Structures are given as structure tokens and as C-alpha cells.
Amino acid sequence: ITFVQNIWSLLKDRDTRGVVYVVILVLISGMFFYHSVEGWGWLDSLYFSVITLTTVGYGDFSPHTDAGKVFTIIY
């Protein structure tokens, strides 16, 4: 089974559909926030959102504005 088939099967399952949508919404909202407030590119903003939510935290990016720091604490 491919990655796309796995995602499609998750979206078909009523129990996991909401979780998938919430994760996508949270990632997109973080991406938009970091792009607009920190001035990062779209891919860098998405990358930071993913590594922050998965608690990997490589340390190669960090917010520099006060708003970005407060958002990241809540995020």
C-alpha cells in the first residue's frame, strides 16, 4: 500500500477523519503565522510547524519576534 492509499483510507474512516483534518488545520495555521510574522518562506514555515508539533526541535529555526515566541509556546 502506498502513502497516498494510506492517507485515503484514513480519510474514509469516520473515526480518524476528524483527527486528520485537525492536524492539517493546525499545520496550515502555523505555516501561515510563521510566514507572515517571522517572514520565513512557505516551506520553512511548514517545516518549523512540523518539527515543533512532533517535538523534534532540531534547533535550526527559532522565532525571533515576541509574537512568534508567544505563539510557539501556545502552539
Side-chain angles (χ1 to χ4, degrees):
I1 296 178
T2 66
F3 176 74
V4 174
Q5 289 172 329
N6 284 335
I7 297 297
W8 186 249
S9 67
L10 284 175
L11 291 176
K12 283 201 247 179
D13 184 13
R14 187 173 277 236
D15 294 333
T16 58
R17 186 180 311 152
V19 173
V20 171
Y21 289 150
V22 168
V23 167
I24 291 170
L25 178 68
V26 169
L27 286 174
I28 289 173
S29 66
M31 184 176 68
F32 275 100
F33 178 84
Y34 291 119
H35 176 75
S36 62
V37 172
E38 294 295 327
W40 296 340
W42 291 109
L43 185 58
D44 289 338
S45 299
L46 178 61
Y47 169 75
F48 185 75
S49 297
V50 170
I51 65 170
T52 300
L53 285 180
T54 59
T55 68
V56 172
Y58 293 124
D60 49 353
F61 283 98
S62 63
H64 296 290
T65 64
D66 289 341
K69 292 174 185 176
V70 170
F71 179 80
T72 304
I73 290 169
I74 297 167
Y75 189 69

